[in-house]
Amino acid sequence: MQQPDYGEARLYIDGELCAAEGRREYDNIAPATAKLIGRAADASIADADKALTAARQAFDRTAWSMDHQGRITALKKFVEAMRAEIKSLQDAMVAEAGSTRHNAETAQVNGPIAMTDWVIDYLEQFEWQRDLGEYTLTAFGTTSRRVLCREAVGVVAAITPWNFPLQIILAKIIPALAAGCTVVLKAAPDTPWTAALLGRIAQQSKALPKGVLNILTASQPADIGQFLSTDPRVDMVSFTGSTRVGREVMAAAAQTVKKVFLELGGKSPHIILPDADFGAALLNCLAVCYHAGQGCVLATRLLVPADRLAEVETTVSGYFDFITLGDPEAAGAIMGPLINRHQRQRVLSMIEQGVAEGARLIKGGGIPEGLQQGFYIEPTILVDEQGNSCVAQQEIFGPVLTIIPYRDVEHAITLANSSDYGLGAVINSGDETAAMAVAKRIRAGVINVNGGNFLAPDVPFGGYKQSGIGREMGAEGFAEYLETKTIAIGA
């Protein structure tokens, strides 16, 4: 079949687009139709080694890490080149991620590219060296003038998922490059074109020096992930994905004591306090259907007062009737498909297991009529009055909401913190002071109160507990890609 214009089937290594070893390729399947839309490069370990060699040499043997102004110029040119190809990136997002066209034009593509401006602005005013003044060490009778320096970590292996591929790729590679690191990006197998297009953009624009950014796509990425996580030439692994794989990455990186950033799973609670406007607050529940529920920070546990459970069930069920799903290109489509057949079956199996464990299904739970060809699933609502079934405790990554009743506010806080995860939370209350008091007791990295939204380029994103280690975006995210050096000079 003829490859679409946005269907890039080459790797980007050492400044050049190239075929994978042996010209290996694999099928790219559209989630909306389950049909072949084109081919992607299928990288080998040899390809990964070439990319890593290029990144290592670019860091060790060029001025990239120290040339702050040069990086500003290069990144501005790279971002402008992305903006010039924004339609291709949107088309790839709809085709291979199953994103609705509206979502592709906002949160999936346009928004993430716009957010890169903050990183470049931050780089322009960042203080790379700071004078700590003099200090006399009385035990030795010496006085030293101290200088604190911030320097790039080195070579970064960035490993990204398929749900928000461009946003997460840019949230890793732009701060890493801005900090002076070089990067080997291993993209998710289900969304190869989004990453490969960045390689094409970089090559055609000549914005970046050779070897600074390298991009790999592969059908079976576990071996490449293991290679990058263990190779001593990699100084840091930045991983976003499941908690299970995050543990494996952390263990592999420990063999050479690499720096590790992990943004992992979530099971975020949405607490509606008794004094909230329930009609308005419950509208927030529709967010669980955003991008078919494939978002780690989406609030998938709805915690409500027990004496209003019946009312909540009726209201939320009615709201879910507003969700239109189908062809991502269709006007008015709110929800598209899940990413692949395996993920859909996983979600259906978890719903079935949750019901077997005592959860009560009140809406959806199956494949929508007339949409059997793609990887669609009905928006689903369950009630778990104990809050301990798999659908109340485990990350599902689908359009599934679990309603859990609480006795009082203390019980709500206990339930909210009962998960192994601690990524995000949502709180609604008629009293902002009361909402803030609850927010401060929730063990989560980002919390939205009364319609607030944390997402912004200057806000650090990440979680507590098994939701990860470190922060992405903002000043804290930039700092993840830096080392700290202190130089003491005899006075």
Side-chain angles (χ1 to χ4, degrees), residues 221-303:
D223 289 345
I224 292 178
Q226 178 74 8
F227 169 76
L228 293 173
S229 299
T230 55
D231 195 290
R233 292 172 293 175
V234 172
D235 299 294
M236 175 180 175
V237 180
S238 180
F239 171 82
T240 296
S242 71
T243 296
R244 177 187 62 80
V245 177
R247 294 190 194 103
E248 295 172 0
V249 169
M250 191 174 183
Q255 297 178 34
T256 48
V257 197
K258 302 184 192 305
K259 188 172 186 179
V260 175
F261 166 80
L262 301 174
E263 195 277 285
L264 308 176
K267 193 68 177 175
S268 301
H270 177 186
I271 305 172
I272 301 183
L273 296 177
D275 63 350
D277 177 344
F278 272 61
L282 289 171
L283 277 172
N284 291 335
C285 296
L286 295 176
V288 79
C289 298
Y290 180 72
H291 196 40
Q294 298 170 125
C296 55
V297 77
L298 296 176
T300 56
R301 294 185 291 154
L302 177 62
L303 277 54

Side-chain angles (χ1 to χ4, degrees), residues 38 40 59 92 106 155 199 211 214 462:
F59 186 80
T106 53
V155 176
N214 305 272

Side-chain angles (χ1 to χ4, degrees), residues 300-363:
T300 56
R301 294 185 291 154
L302 177 62
L303 277 54
V304 299
D307 60 1
R308 301 190 68 170
L309 178 59
E311 170 197 347
V312 168
E313 290 181 26
T314 300
T315 302
V316 175
S317 183
Y319 285 168
F320 268 46
D321 288 336
F322 294 133
I323 299 295
T324 57
L325 63 160
D327 181 1
E329 291 280 15
I334 294 175
M335 191 180 108
L338 296 181
I339 190 66
N340 56 39
R341 191 180 310 278
H342 171 77
Q343 180 62 15
R344 183 177 65 179
Q345 186 53 50
R346 178 182 177 277
V347 173
L348 291 171
S349 296
M350 290 193 71
I351 294 169
E352 183 179 352
Q353 181 183 344
V355 171
E357 293 173 353
R360 176 164 45 92
L361 180 67
I362 65 171
K363 190 84 170 181

